[in-house]
Each structure stands twice: as structure tokens, then as C-alpha cells.
Amino acid sequence: MSLYPSYPPNLTAEQLSYLITSFTDYSLSHGLIVRPAPTFIPTNPSNSLATPAPVTLWPSPFPRVHFEEARSLQTFCNLLYARVASDQSWLGDLSTSLSLVDDFISKLWAIHTRLKSENGYHHKYSLGLFRSDYMVHTSESEFAPLGIRQVEFNTIASSFGALASKVSELHRYLWRSGAYPPTAEYINDLSLPRNEALERLAEGLAKAHEVYIQDVSPDAKYTLENAASVGPNSSYGIMFVIQDGERNAFDQRWLEYHLTQKYGIRVFRVTFEEIRKYTHHVRPNYELLFVPPHAFDGKKQQVYEISVVYFRAGYGPGDYPGQEEWNTRYFLEESRAIKCPTVLTQLAGSKKVQQVLAEKKNLEKFMGNERGEDGVVERIFDTFAAIYPMDESEAGLKARKLAFEEPHRFVLKPQREGGGNNIYKDKIPEFLRELDEEKWQGYILMELIRPPEVENLVMRNGEMMQGKVVGELGVYGAVIWKDAEDGEPGDIDIMYNEEAGVLLRTKGSNSEEGGVAAGFGCVDSCVLVD
Ligand code: ADP
Ligand code: MG
């Protein structure tokens, strides 16, 4: 039995052609776009060519109860990961043992230890723009949904929020305009949820900007409300750390436009290399100053104090080709600016932390006092799939056996972000055999989630593909915190904690990875099924 109604509706050739025209023009005119891959458009003069982002033609059915549950857990997940990031000794134990086998983790952790032993931290507050990713899990014997299972928790560069909001609006428009035929009566105002990921993520950044200015300059009585009415004439700004040649630039630009247009905040997009050239600290408080080369008229040079450093780069080894880049990351970490995320928050998002938290006693360590809140610990715990360490602990030895005896049930994950790093099913034994056994403990072994298949059509570079797909729901969260004074490790004061919209990513049901940027998947929206 299928979980979903027969979907999507059949169209006549005329209906399909009308739908695709409406779809494409809406995407292009609303900035639901990406820069084309050089393999698709080899020359792109002045970077002026864009193409619609890969998106499903129809919203994909998703069970309403699971959608609501995932969203309602988000502020608690925010709290959990903020607490983990603040517990230096707990995170330190994990990071130091991983450092032995994972060079990237080792270098991140070294930034923290060096800072502690040299000048210390100068920031007071941290910003998390998180995304918790889930799939609906079905049982082996029948296609009954059992609940949501967390795929991973992202603490750095959680992308696609802006495009996800726009896909929700696109699908809503296709319904309202009549481009979807009337036979699709289950697509309507009640089944298409609003998705304010763009607005809410921008609000998180803007709030952190406000928190920063109120801290460094309380006399200025800066608030977002009065700033928005004055316009962007302040000497404070937000820095987006980006990759050179980013194809998903518009997803980031939309956040910038929102910050500038709605809140009057200036945004600077800079690469690690540009940071080296155009920024410096002011001692003794390590304010981060940016001297933008475009803001010089021959006489006067504008200088901006950076309130928030928002990383859309720096999440993987590829962003650090040499020591220079690591020095730049250290330099940013040392500054007074609010980091989104700090090195510690980035480490809290490692797959290892996810695996350790999946042991109930560890989850309880951080969330035990939330027990009274509608059984939150149990509800979060219920979203965890089985995840095993690959070390020499009892659970690790069991996992090592399972990895060879029943690999088809598992995915093996290294401590990496950004897609394309995992090892699936029957490839696991061979992979492990070729890897030094000491390095196994740098991986986690995770049970495969079995999402229900639905049928949909995907538009990518103007071409239509139809087939069975599965979806992964991401829920964004925005949280601002600081360490509590005289508190225990992990005790924090929360200044802001919100659920911040959703992302549905859809991929072919027989493709293992679902990364949109990596070319396997596309952005979708939910049509909720009761
Ligand atoms: P990354 O940090 O590279 O995004 P993920 O853990 O999100 O790593 O894995 C990448 C993709 O692999 C996911 O988007 C999902 O499609 C698939 N995947 C990961 N874990 C599982 C799992 N336990 N069951 C099924 N699919 C999974
Ligand atoms: Mg992922």
C-alpha cells in the first residue's frame, strides 16, 4: 500500500507545456536561480548568465504530523547544540580523540586550543543558523510511516533557505494561477504551508547584529527598528565568508538583500583571500575592521566594524588549501565579531557528536532538565536512527562486525560536510579493508533510513526528468547565546531562539546522496498529507 495518493496528476501535452512555461518564467523572474555549471554554459561573460535552480515541478507529499513534529522540536535542537558547543571539556574529549585520525578536525580543534593558550576569546555571543535534516522512515515489511529520523544536524553553512522559501511561493503561484489543473484538488491553501526560511534566517543574522552593537556601544541605543528607518548609514556591517566562484550565490544574495532592504544592514561578501587583504583587528578588544576597496573615492576610505561573520565557506578541507587559510580562520575566531558559527559550534555539528548524542545518557546530560517540556528528551530521542561508533568500545566492535556482515543496512560517514563523502551499503567492507584500521574510529556507522517513494518531475537546466523520488526535510533554526557567567560548562544564556522555516530536498529514489549543489538533487516544497 502506498503512503500517498496517486501523484502527480496526469496532464495533457497542452497542460504540461503551459505549466513548464509558467514554472520557468516564475523561477527566472523571482531569482530562483543558480549560476550554471561551466560544463553546461562554458563561457559566462561578467558572470551574467544564470539558470533556474533545479526544482520539482510539483510539491511532494509529506505527512503533516511528521512535518509539525520536526518543526516543533527545532528550538530544543537549537538549545541542545548551543549547549554542546559551550561545553569545552566534553567537546574537547571527543575532538582530541578524533584529532588523532582526522586532520581537519585536528586543525579546527587546534584553533580553539591555541586561542585559549594565547590571547583568549574576545567574542561574547554566538550565532547558530542550524538545519536539522530528517527523512520519514518506513518499516521494512510495509510502507507505513514510523516517524521522522534525523539524517544529520548542520551547524555551518546550512544552505538553500532562501531558495526553499521561493520554491514554496512558486508552487503556491502555480496553484493560484491555475497552471496546476483543477483535478489536483489536494493542492490548496491548507496543504501548502508557508515557508519563511529566508525571512527568519535573515532575522537571525539581523538580531545578532543588534546584539553586537548593543554590546559594544550601549549608549548608541541601537535597535533594528530605528536602524531600518534611518537606512544603511552605519559603520557596522555583516561579513559573509564565501567561496570563490560560488554557484549557489543567489541563495546567499537573498539573505543579503533582506538584511539591507528590511533592516538597513550592509553586507560584505568576501573570500578568505580578501579577508587577509582588507581586514584587521583593533586591540585590545579585537574589533574586526573591514576596509572595502570599493568604498574609496580617492580621498575618503570607509571602514566598517564587522558585527557578524557568517560562514558560507570553511566547512571542509577544500576551503583550506594551505596554512594561510587556517591563519585567516584563526584571525576571525580571535576577533570580537559574533561568529556564525564559532569553531566550537562547527565541531558540535560533526557526525561524531551526532553519534554520541544518540546514546540516551548523553542526550540527557544536555537536555535532562527539559524533561518536563512535553517529553522533549524522548521526542528528540525518537528521531534518532541507530548510529554506532567505529572505535574499539563495545558498541564499536559490534559496529565493525555489522559493517562486514550486513553492510546493505548501513551508511558509513566520515567527519565531513557538503555531500559526496559517505560510503554506502556494499561498498563499506571494501572501503574499510583498504583503510588503516586505526583510522576506522574517525567514521560512524549509521542505519539507513527508508523514506517512502513518491513520483514527481524535476526540472534541471530546462530538461524534465520524471521518476520515483524521496524527500529530506530540513528544519532551520536560529539561536543566539552566550556562556552563563559563573556557570558550569554548557550553561548558557539564550538571547534568541527560533524555528526558522524549512527545506525539502528531493532526489531520485535510487540515488544515494541528495545534495542539490553536488548535482544529485533538487529543491522542493511540501504538500501536506493528513
Ligand atoms: P553531508 O554532511 O555530506 O550532507 P549527510 O549525512 O547529510 O552528509 O548525508 C548526505 C546524504 O546521504 C543525505 O542527504 C541523504 O540523502 C543520504 N543519507 C545520509 N544518511 C542517511 C541514512 N541514514 N539513511 C538514508 N540516507 C542517508
Ligand atoms: Mg546533509
Side-chain angles (χ1 to χ4, degrees):
M1 190 190 77
S2 166
L3 162 60
Y4 296 119
S6 137
Y7 196 84
N10 285 323
L11 300 184
T12 64
E14 288 75 18
Q15 285 174 325
L16 183 62
S17 143
Y18 186 83
L19 176 57
I20 289 177
T21 304
S22 304
F23 174 96
T24 307
D25 286 0
Y26 185 99
S27 297
L28 289 173
S29 45
H30 289 78
L32 184 36
I33 51 180
V34 292
R35 290 232 153 78
T39 46
F40 180 57
I41 307 272
T43 53
N44 194 344
S46 307
N47 246 337
S48 56
L49 299 179
T51 181
V55 169
T56 54
L57 204 50
W58 301 85
S60 286
F62 199 94
R64 186 188 295 272
V65 280
H66 300 319
F67 180 84
E68 300 296 353
E69 176 65 358
R71 291 184 69 178
S72 69
L73 285 175
Q74 189 57 36
T75 52
F76 297 103
C77 293
N78 292 345
L79 196 57
L80 169 62
Y81 277 86
R83 284 180 180 157
V84 169
S86 301
D87 194 335
Q88 296 180 10
S89 63
W90 191 84
L91 203 50
D93 288 345
L94 287 186
S95 301
T96 34
S97 67
L98 277 179
S99 290
L100 301 173
V101 293
D102 191 316
D103 191 44
F104 184 64
I105 299 280
S106 155
K107 291 205 161 92
L108 279 175
W109 181 246
I111 290 180
H112 167 70
T113 50
R114 185 178 150 202
L115 253 172
K116 291 283 274 189
S117 68
E118 292 182 9
N119 293 321
Y121 280 103
H122 299 95
H123 65 246
K124 208 188 278 176
Y125 301 95
S126 294
L127 168 66
L129 293 184
F130 297 151
R131 199 185 67 219
S132 187
D133 290 338
Y134 304 92
M135 283 173 166
V136 172
H137 187 48
T138 55
S139 74
E140 204 138 340
S141 50
E142 54 179 332
F143 242 33
L146 299 176
I148 40 168
R149 295 288 180 275
Q150 188 180 54
V151 176
E152 67 156 344
F153 194 88
N154 301 283
T155 59
I156 183 165
S158 313
S159 53
F160 291 109
L163 296 192
S165 289
K166 295 195 176 289
V167 172
S168 292
E169 286 309 306
L170 160 70
H171 289 153
R172 180 182 306 280
Y173 158 77
L174 293 173
W175 166 63
R176 296 187 82 96
S177 69
Y180 290 151
T183 45
E185 79 271 353
Y186 37 80
I187 299 179
N188 54 50
D189 254 340
L190 292 177
S191 63
L192 294 179
R194 295 247 171 226
N195 183 10
E196 300 194 329
L198 166 59
E199 291 78 4
R200 306 314 302 278
L201 292 170
E203 183 181 291
L205 285 160
K207 270 284 166 197
H209 180 79
E210 181 185 66
V211 164
Y212 179 88
I213 298 177
Q214 288 177 351
D215 181 46
V216 296
S217 177
D219 295 340
K221 309 233 178 310
Y222 177 93
T223 64
L224 288 174
E225 282 82 45
N226 63 33
S229 60
V230 182
N233 62 356
S234 125
S235 57
Y236 295 98
I238 294 182
M239 179 180 272
F240 284 17
V241 184
I242 57 161
Q243 294 175 337
D244 208 13
E246 173 67 72
R247 290 185 45 225
N248 191 28
F250 304 105
D251 183 52
Q252 305 167 351
R253 282 284 189 191
W254 277 115
L255 288 171
E256 170 191 336
Y257 301 151
H258 217 74
L259 287 166
T260 306
Q261 309 284 65
K262 176 159 184 206
Y263 298 104
I265 300 171
R266 288 214 167 130
V267 169
F268 306 102
R269 294 168 59 77
V270 285
T271 61
F272 273 180
E273 195 183 339
E274 288 163 330
I275 293 168
R276 277 200 290 283
K277 278 198 206 144
Y278 305 121
T279 60
H280 59 272
H281 291 150
V282 195
R283 304 205 177 183
N285 293 324
Y286 287 76
E287 287 88 0
L288 179 63
L289 295 196
F290 177 55
V291 185
H294 70 264
F296 180 60
D297 62 7
K299 289 194 213 97
K300 193 164 175 284
Q301 172 69 63
Q302 285 261 25
V303 178
Y304 291 89
E305 181 172 339
I306 299 300
S307 57
V308 182
V309 180
Y310 175 46
F311 286 93
R312 291 292 291 254
Y315 50 81
D319 288 325
Y320 304 87
Q323 190 54 39
E324 293 245 64
E325 288 75 19
W326 285 110
N327 293 345
T328 305
R329 183 71 192 268
Y330 179 84
F331 167 84
L332 293 173
E333 195 70 12
E334 193 179 27
S335 78
R336 186 173 186 173
I338 297 179
K339 265 73 68 182
C340 177
T342 62
V343 161
L344 292 177
T345 308
Q346 179 172 354
L347 284 165
S350 67
K351 307 278 193 284
K352 184 69 191 175
V353 168
Q354 188 191 359
Q355 174 254 304
V356 173
L357 289 177
E359 261 179 74
K360 202 162 191 183
K361 68 172 197 303
N362 295 322
L363 177 64
E364 276 173 343
K365 167 181 158 55
F366 290 101
M367 296 301 281
N369 53 358
E370 249 62 46
R371 192 168 274 288
E373 294 253 16
D374 303 333
V376 155
V377 173
E378 276 68 31
R379 282 165 59 208
I380 294 181
F381 190 73
D382 284 347
T383 68
F384 294 163
I387 315 183
Y388 302 91
M390 284 292 288
D391 55 19
E392 287 175 347
S393 66
E394 200 181 316
L397 295 177
K398 182 177 167 201
R400 289 175 175 209
K401 206 157 168 276
L402 284 170
F404 283 93
E405 288 175 2
E406 301 173 48
H408 58 277
R409 287 176 46 207
F410 295 101
V411 48
L412 184 71
K413 301 188 183 183
Q415 310 302 316
R416 288 290 171 277
E417 302 300 320
N421 303 302
N422 298 340
I423 301 98
Y424 293 86
K425 300 184 184 176
D426 298 335
K427 297 193 196 82
I428 297 174
E430 192 192 336
F431 178 87
L432 286 174
R433 263 184 232 114
E434 282 175 15
L435 187 72
D436 275 350
E437 211 169 306
E438 302 95 74
K439 300 228 155 169
W440 289 9
Q441 58 170 301
Y443 291 73
I444 58 154
L445 188 73
M446 182 172 185
E447 192 167 39
L448 283 166
I449 307 164
R450 301 161 32 86
E453 293 178 340
V454 293
E455 185 93 6
N456 208 331
L457 291 94
V458 176
M459 295 296 297
R460 177 184 284 276
N461 291 329
E463 278 182 58
M464 191 179 73
M465 287 169 286
Q466 175 156 15
K468 294 245 182 285
V469 295
V470 295
E472 180 172 342
L473 180 74
V475 183
Y476 295 96
V479 55
I480 303 171
W481 74 94
K482 71 178 175 68
D483 289 346
E485 268 155 45
D486 307 323
E488 300 276 310
D491 280 356
I492 53 174
D493 293 333
I494 295 281
M495 343 315 288
Y496 181 84
N497 183 8
E498 298 286 331
E499 185 259 330
V502 297
L503 161 72
L504 185 67
R505 267 177 313 168
T506 285
K507 61 173 184 175
S509 66
N510 46 19
S511 123
E512 284 163 335
E513 294 262 345
V516 181
F520 311 107
C522 65
V523 187
D524 197 345
S525 81
C526 296
V527 50
L528 298 178
V529 181
D530 288 302

Coordinates of all heavy atoms in Angstrom, one line a residue, residues 86 124 482-493:
S86 N 29.1 24.9 23.9 CA 29.6 25.6 25.0 C 30.3 24.8 26.0 O 31.0 25.3 27.0 CB 28.5 26.4 25.7 OG 27.9 27.2 24.8
K124 N 31.6 37.5 22.8 CA 30.8 37.1 24.0 C 29.7 36.2 23.5 O 29.3 35.3 24.2 CB 30.3 38.4 24.6 CG 30.0 38.3 26.1 CD 29.2 39.5 26.6 CE 30.1 40.7 26.9 NZ 29.3 41.9 27.3
K482 N 25.1 33.1 24.9 CA 26.4 33.4 25.5 C 26.6 32.5 26.7 O 25.6 32.0 27.3 CB 26.6 34.8 25.8 CG 25.9 35.3 27.0 CD 26.2 36.8 27.3 CE 25.5 37.5 28.3 NZ 25.7 37.0 29.7
D483 N 27.9 32.2 27.0 CA 28.2 31.4 28.2 C 27.6 32.1 29.4 O 27.8 33.3 29.6 CB 29.7 31.2 28.4 CG 30.2 30.2 27.3 OD1 29.4 29.6 26.6 OD2 31.4 30.2 27.1
A484 N 27.0 31.3 30.3 CA 26.5 31.9 31.5 C 27.6 32.3 32.4 O 28.6 31.5 32.5 CB 25.6 30.9 32.2
E485 N 27.6 33.4 33.1 CA 28.6 33.8 34.0 C 28.6 32.9 35.2 O 27.6 32.6 35.8 CB 28.5 35.3 34.4 CG 29.2 36.2 33.5 CD 28.6 37.6 33.5 OE1 28.4 38.1 34.6 OE2 28.5 38.2 32.4
D486 N 29.8 32.4 35.6 CA 30.0 31.5 36.7 C 29.2 30.2 36.6 O 28.9 29.6 37.6 CB 29.6 32.2 38.1 CG 30.3 33.5 38.3 OD1 31.5 33.6 37.9 OD2 29.7 34.5 38.8
G487 N 28.8 29.9 35.4 CA 28.0 28.6 35.2 C 28.9 27.4 35.0 O 30.2 27.5 34.9
E488 N 28.3 26.3 35.0 CA 29.0 25.0 34.7 C 29.3 25.0 33.2 O 28.6 25.7 32.5 CB 28.1 23.8 35.0 CG 27.7 23.7 36.5 CD 28.7 23.0 37.3 OE1 29.2 22.0 36.9 OE2 29.1 23.6 38.4
P489 N 30.2 24.1 32.7 CA 30.4 24.0 31.3 C 29.0 23.7 30.6 O 28.3 22.8 31.1 CB 31.4 22.9 31.1 CG 32.1 22.8 32.4 CD 31.1 23.3 33.5
G490 N 28.7 24.3 29.5 CA 27.4 24.0 28.9 C 26.3 24.9 29.4 O 25.2 24.9 28.8
D491 N 26.5 25.6 30.5 CA 25.4 26.6 30.9 C 25.4 27.8 30.1 O 26.5 28.5 30.0 CB 25.7 27.0 32.4 CG 25.2 25.9 33.4 OD1 24.7 24.9 32.9 OD2 25.5 26.1 34.6
I492 N 24.3 28.1 29.5 CA 24.3 29.3 28.6 C 23.1 30.2 28.8 O 22.1 29.7 29.4 CB 24.3 28.8 27.1 CG1 23.1 27.8 26.8 CG2 25.6 28.2 26.7 CD1 23.0 27.5 25.4
D493 N 23.2 31.4 28.4 CA 22.1 32.3 28.4 C 21.7 32.5 27.0 O 22.5 32.8 26.1 CB 22.5 33.7 29.0 CG 22.8 33.6 30.5 OD1 22.3 32.7 31.1 OD2 23.7 34.5 30.9

